[in-house]
Amino acid sequence: MLKPNMNYANLKDSYLFYNIAKKTEAYLSENVLVQKLIPLGIGDVSLPLCSAVVSALHSAVEDMANKESFQGYQDECGATFLREAIAAYYKKRGVALSCDEVFISSGASDELGDILDIFDRESSALVIEPAYPAYVDANIIAGRKIVHYFSDEKNGFAPYPNDDIKADIIYICSPNNPTGAVFTKEKLEKWVEFANKNGSVILFDAAYEAFIEDESIPHSIFEIDGARTCAIEICSLSKTAGFTGTRLGYTVIPRELERNSMNFNKMWVRNRTTKTNGVSYIIQKGAAAVFTDEGQKEIKENIAVYKSNARVLMDALDNAGIWYCGGKNAPYIWMKCPNNMLSWDFFDYLLENAQIIGTPGAGFGKNGDGYFRFTSFGDPEDTRKAAKRIEKLLMKGE
Amino acid sequence: MLKPNMNYANLKDSYLFYNIAKKTEAYLSENVLVQKLIPLGIGDVSLPLCSAVVSALHSAVEDMANKESFQGYQDECGATFLREAIAAYYKKRGVALSCDEVFISSGASDELGDILDIFDRESSALVIEPAYPAYVDANIIAGRKIVHYFSDEKNGFAPYPNDDIKADIIYICSPNNPTGAVFTKEKLEKWVEFANKNGSVILFDAAYEAFIEDESIPHSIFEIDGARTCAIEICSLSKTAGFTGTRLGYTVIPRELERNSMNFNKMWVRNRTTKTNGVSYIIQKGAAAVFTDEGQKEIKENIAVYKSNARVLMDALDNAGIWYCGGKNAPYIWMKCPNNMLSWDFFDYLLENAQIIGTPGAGFGKNGDGYFRFTSFGDPEDTRKAAKRIEKLLMKGE
């Protein structure tokens, strides 16, 4: 009798966005809306793809329509034109990568699950909570021990390592989802030092790097000396270029990264050539346009719109005297619920009194309770309205 | 110290297509070609995407270019419009599926690796060899025991099960890669009976179903009574609609499929929602066009071109008196090498004497040695030339 992977039975049902939808539905069925319901919950983008990407996608579709330019199987690790474009993007920030250290994926979420295949299942995974729930769930599925580590207001939601930690895989997400906090260069240096000392491997989730505006904050773990022997970086165009529904990410695995004489770059080549046939040529062509001068200019305009949304929300919280972090170098704002409310209670309060939907911090780990996440990816006009309502409600609440 | 997944060390280096490239390179550097070198090796398509798909792709790109129609995160298990189109496609052949039994993937090769995550690593996997090498490699990576089972000329390269087999996961590929053989309804009934009796699960690789012309051959394992409690079907548009570089596949997991009270359909939903953010909206829209009347008409015209290639090659082998199978219900022709040559020797012989590249059978498992695979996906004019050369060479050889 075939036995299932029984680790699935250890997963808690993930009700976060389901519960949000249910509560919203119930509210709408029982109430007549006096004003528009504004969603600032799910971190999905709202602006269309920029025109450089759109042109490249159309052109790639045309390539596929003609026998002479038609493209069959792509390199499983990624098309050279895109790997080169990404290596050049890193080079601008002073990070030298060779083309074969860059792997193209269908997105960071896909890769964060897939990459675990090259690690032993007896290894442990450290997750700094509050965190993107898939870090924990993907490791539960693999039967790994989870080491819970906590960020909080005191450490600015970006803690240092400490010598008591025993963990093989270390997740670091900076700028952070959900807190919007960033790890300084000095903090990342400590983590790299820790990982090299202990033989751990850092999985650095850089999905929000394009939102960093503070010059001193690293965009890549490979800006840190020593990272090439202890880190893998996973990135995505989802938030950088609005690819949430278009799907493309990339992963950097340095050639030097080895444990037990096994080379992780070579292992990943073998994984990709065995388990995939690469990412769609059309989408890779669209992605390459992001890294052109025109593409970079256009995506920065879009990011500026989201940053202006964040600013509007931050101003409202400032005016209401509410503690928050994020927003400046990240598309998320992480606020402390007023009057020590729990995060689901604040969800109800905000829905009932301001007709705004956000994400309760408890959905990102136990110690996220008491906090609340807003996204800056919404419609600008809606975000302005929401900010006014939030300010009014929370000032009144004091 | 993080331990790698040491199972990777048990993989044999896969040198099949690398060796083919090296040998070809060496031949070209040492010889002046008197005639064009014709590739009939790798199973990649040569005809462009059909116009229904091209239009749908352009239109989806336009959706992404405008704020009103822009698409963000898609359903991780697949867009409803595509899941419905595929369920309707099955219905035409009398297979009733509900929409949520159909999952959209980035392709069959991706899914064949990913799906193994829902099975225990102590389970064993039966591979009927010669076989697509990834069946074996993906299970070696997971540390599973491989049960080697053999097809041969006597069983028409499509064997029955036998009661001595002990295996939890059973791979069946019909029409088969590399042999082009098909499993009759009666043979599949025996495998389904075997799987249900033993609690095994069949992974049915239906990637070549669109090439079946014999009315009596099942296109889907779900045409067999009892399959809903013992099978998962993995399919792809790569060969059906020329999607090798565009990437899209689908997987059917019936609601009834359970072991140890764990439901595989629900487990896969959980896997997808944890480990992916779905397949590109653009590509899913293009794929949906394959299932329209216009799309079906156009892809059948393309398949007819490939089938005519197969016919030309089969006629040449018939005239030369060479044993082969496949070609009729499959895009591959599997020939016996003349004069008991080993398959790599025949590779050299064909390259040197006819300037044609094919795939040595030994690349698909030990018992594939002595056989040779031709693809019918080449250019029609090239294929006609190659067929003439093959016929001339092999008749002379006798």
Side-chain angles (χ1 to χ4, degrees):
Chain A
M1 166 87 79
L2 172 65
K3 202 176 149 196
N5 176 354
M6 295 303 293
N7 295 321
Y8 279 77
N10 300 326
L11 289 167
K12 284 185 209 135
D13 280 323
S14 172
Y15 283 137
L16 178 60
F17 289 103
Y18 177 82
N19 275 350
I20 291 176
K22 280 281 156 196
K23 275 175 172 280
T24 307
E25 220 172 83
Y27 175 76
L28 288 174
S29 74
E30 288 157 20
N31 294 277
V32 179
L33 280 182
V34 290
Q35 56 186 356
K36 185 181 171 183
L37 190 75
I38 300 178
L40 295 177
I42 297 178
D44 199 357
V45 295
S46 57
L47 292 169
L49 294 179
C50 69
S51 69
V53 171
V54 168
S55 302
L57 289 168
H58 277 308
S59 159
V61 171
E62 274 313 293
D63 289 347
M64 296 306 246
N66 295 292
K67 191 163 182 180
E68 297 66 36
S69 51
F70 178 73
Q71 297 284 321
Y73 285 122
Q74 301 297 295
D75 186 319
E76 295 92 341
C77 299
T80 303
F81 64 79
L82 182 53
R83 300 172 92 180
E84 281 174 354
I86 292 166
Y89 177 71
Y90 273 87
K91 197 168 183 192
K92 279 188 209 163
R93 289 202 305 267
V95 175
L97 295 177
S98 86
C99 198
D100 58 11
E101 295 178 316
V102 179
F103 295 83
I104 307 305
S105 75
S106 294
S109 53
D110 306 67
E111 200 78 341
L112 281 162
D114 289 349
I115 198 88
L116 296 173
D117 191 64
I118 59 177
F119 306 133
D120 190 87
R121 292 198 163 198
E122 298 297 314
S123 54
S124 56
L126 177 134
V127 178
I128 301 171
E129 291 173 322
Y132 180 54
Y135 299 161
V136 169
D137 290 348
N139 282 292
I140 288 177
I141 287 175
R144 286 202 184 79
K145 187 186 158 201
I146 314 286
V147 180
H148 299 272
Y149 199 61
F150 301 107
S151 68
D152 56 29
E153 281 183 47
K154 265 176 274 169
N155 56 41
F157 284 98
Y160 283 99
N162 77 55
D163 285 336
D164 299 333
I165 295 176
K166 297 245 174 299
D168 302 312
I169 304 165
I170 295 169
Y171 287 87
I172 298 179
C173 177
S174 176
N176 191 264
N177 175 18
T179 69
V182 283
F183 283 73
T184 61
K185 190 164 188 208
E186 190 246 343
K187 282 185 179 174
L188 290 178
E189 282 167 352
K190 294 291 182 208
W191 280 103
V192 164
E193 193 186 311
F194 175 89
N196 277 322
K197 196 173 72 184
N198 294 287
S200 313
V201 168
I202 295 170
L203 288 183
F204 191 76
D205 183 346
Y208 304 96
E209 62 85 12
F211 290 80
I212 294 173
E213 54 185 59
D214 184 336
E215 294 278 331
S216 72
I217 300 296
H219 289 237
S220 163
I221 190 76
F222 298 111
E223 294 177 42
I224 309 298
D225 285 341
R228 288 182 62 88
T229 51
C230 72
I232 290 173
E233 181 157 302
I234 291 175
C235 201
S236 162
L237 297 186
S238 284
K239 307 302 162 72
T240 301
F243 269 53
T244 52
T246 301
R247 311 303 310 141
L248 194 122
Y250 51 93
T251 300
V252 176
I253 310 181
R255 285 192 196 143
E256 291 92 323
L257 189 63
E258 295 190 343
R259 295 290 180 269
N260 268 34
S261 306
M262 299 283 282
N263 182 290
F264 287 120
N265 183 294
K266 284 187 187 155
M267 286 173 79
W268 195 237
V269 171
R270 188 56 199 263
N271 178 292
R272 297 292 84 185
T273 52
T274 301
K275 295 195 178 183
T276 80
N277 267 312
V279 174
S280 177
Y281 167 78
I282 298 167
I283 307 302
Q284 291 196 73
K285 274 287 181 179
V290 171
F291 298 97
T292 60
D293 290 344
E294 192 196 348
Q296 286 291 303
K297 185 175 155 284
E298 290 176 344
I299 64 160
K300 277 171 190 157
E301 286 163 10
N302 285 1
I303 289 171
V305 171
Y306 297 138
K307 284 192 156 292
S308 146
N309 284 346
R311 189 71 263 162
V312 164
L313 290 166
M314 287 156 78
D315 287 345
L317 295 175
D318 282 338
N319 292 342
I322 301 284
W323 187 95
Y324 65 88
C325 61
K328 187 168 183 291
N329 295 299
Y332 296 119
I333 293 165
W334 181 252
M335 65 167 276
K336 194 174 171 74
C337 300
N339 307 318
N340 295 315
M341 282 171 99
L342 293 177
S343 51
W344 280 107
D345 293 337
F346 184 66
F347 176 89
D348 293 335
Y349 179 73
L350 199 63
L351 177 59
E352 285 160 21
N353 295 288
Q355 290 71 53
I356 293 168
I357 299 164
T359 309
F364 303 98
K366 264 186 219 163
N367 72 324
D369 208 351
Y371 296 89
F372 204 76
R373 190 189 81 172
F374 288 121
T375 165
S376 68
F377 289 120
D379 176 79
E381 186 51 36
D382 283 351
T383 305
R384 268 190 294 276
K385 281 185 198 155
K388 274 189 196 154
R389 295 186 201 166
I390 290 167
E391 184 175 335
K392 196 175 155 201
L393 179 71
L394 299 188
M395 288 185 82
K396 200 179 67 180
E398 274 185 287
Chain B
M1 165 89 79
L2 173 63
K3 202 176 150 198
N5 175 354
M6 295 304 291
N7 295 319
Y8 278 76
N10 300 326
L11 288 168
K12 285 185 205 134
D13 279 324
S14 173
Y15 280 139
L16 179 61
F17 290 103
Y18 178 81
N19 276 350
I20 290 176
K22 280 281 158 197
K23 275 175 173 280
T24 307
E25 222 172 81
Y27 175 77
L28 288 174
S29 73
E30 288 157 20
N31 294 276
V32 179
L33 280 182
V34 290
Q35 57 185 356
K36 183 182 172 183
L37 190 76
I38 300 177
L40 295 177
I42 297 177
D44 199 357
V45 295
S46 57
L47 292 170
L49 294 179
C50 69
S51 69
V53 171
V54 169
S55 303
L57 288 167
H58 277 309
S59 157
V61 171
E62 275 311 294
D63 288 347
M64 296 305 246
N66 295 291
K67 191 164 181 181
E68 296 66 34
S69 50
F70 177 73
Q71 297 284 321
Y73 286 121
Q74 301 296 294
D75 185 319
E76 295 93 342
C77 299
T80 303
F81 64 79
L82 182 53
R83 300 173 91 180
E84 281 175 352
I86 292 167
Y89 177 70
Y90 273 87
K91 198 169 183 191
K92 280 188 206 161
R93 291 202 305 268
V95 176
L97 296 177
S98 85
C99 199
D100 59 10
E101 294 177 317
V102 179
F103 294 84
I104 307 306
S105 75
S106 294
S109 53
D110 307 65
E111 200 78 341
L112 281 162
D114 289 349
I115 197 91
L116 295 173
D117 191 64
I118 58 175
F119 307 133
D120 190 88
R121 292 199 163 196
E122 299 297 315
S123 55
S124 57
L126 178 134
V127 178
I128 301 171
E129 293 173 321
Y132 179 56
Y135 298 162
V136 169
D137 290 348
N139 283 291
I140 288 177
I141 287 174
R144 285 202 184 79
K145 187 186 156 201
I146 313 286
V147 180
H148 299 272
Y149 198 61
F150 300 109
S151 68
D152 56 29
E153 283 183 46
K154 265 177 272 169
N155 57 40
F157 285 98
Y160 283 99
N162 76 54
D163 285 336
D164 299 335
I165 297 174
K166 297 243 175 301
D168 301 313
I169 303 165
I170 295 169
Y171 286 88
I172 299 180
C173 177
S174 176
N176 191 267
N177 175 20
T179 69
V182 283
F183 283 72
T184 60
K185 190 165 188 208
E186 191 246 343
K187 282 184 179 175
L188 290 178
E189 282 167 352
K190 295 290 183 210
W191 280 103
V192 165
E193 194 186 311
F194 175 88
N196 276 323
K197 197 172 72 184
N198 294 287
S200 314
V201 167
I202 295 170
L203 289 184
F204 192 75
D205 182 346
Y208 304 97
E209 62 85 13
F211 290 80
I212 294 174
E213 53 187 59
D214 184 336
E215 295 277 330
S216 72
I217 301 295
H219 288 239
S220 163
I221 191 74
F222 298 112
E223 294 177 40
I224 309 298
D225 284 342
R228 290 181 61 88
T229 51
C230 71
I232 289 173
E233 181 158 299
I234 290 175
C235 201
S236 162
L237 296 186
S238 284
K239 308 302 161 72
T240 300
F243 269 53
T244 53
T246 301
R247 311 303 310 141
L248 194 121
Y250 52 92
T251 300
V252 177
I253 310 181
R255 286 192 196 142
E256 292 91 322
L257 190 63
E258 295 190 344
R259 297 288 181 269
N260 268 34
S261 305
M262 299 283 281
N263 182 289
F264 287 119
N265 183 294
K266 283 186 188 156
M267 286 173 79
W268 195 237
V269 171
R270 188 56 199 261
N271 179 292
R272 297 292 83 184
T273 51
T274 301
K275 294 195 178 183
T276 81
N277 268 313
V279 173
S280 177
Y281 167 78
I282 298 167
I283 307 303
Q284 291 196 72
K285 274 287 182 180
V290 170
F291 299 97
T292 61
D293 290 343
E294 192 195 347
Q296 286 291 303
K297 185 175 154 283
E298 290 175 345
I299 64 159
K300 277 172 189 156
E301 287 163 8
N302 285 2
I303 289 172
V305 171
Y306 297 138
K307 284 192 156 289
S308 148
N309 284 346
R311 189 71 262 162
V312 163
L313 291 166
M314 287 156 79
D315 287 345
L317 295 174
D318 282 338
N319 293 342
I322 301 284
W323 186 94
Y324 65 88
C325 62
K328 188 168 180 292
N329 295 300
Y332 296 120
I333 293 165
W334 180 252
M335 65 167 277
K336 195 175 170 72
C337 300
N339 308 318
N340 294 315
M341 284 171 97
L342 292 177
S343 52
W344 279 107
D345 294 337
F346 185 66
F347 176 89
D348 292 335
Y349 179 72
L350 199 65
L351 177 57
E352 285 160 20
N353 295 288
Q355 290 72 53
I356 292 168
I357 299 163
T359 309
F364 302 99
K366 266 186 217 161
N367 71 323
D369 208 352
Y371 295 89
F372 204 76
R373 191 190 78 171
F374 288 122
T375 164
S376 67
F377 289 119
D379 176 79
E381 185 52 34
D382 283 351
T383 305
R384 267 191 294 277
K385 282 184 196 154
K388 274 188 195 152
R389 295 184 203 168
I390 290 168
E391 184 175 334
K392 197 174 156 201
L393 179 72
L394 298 188
M395 287 184 82
K396 200 179 69 180
E398 275 186 286

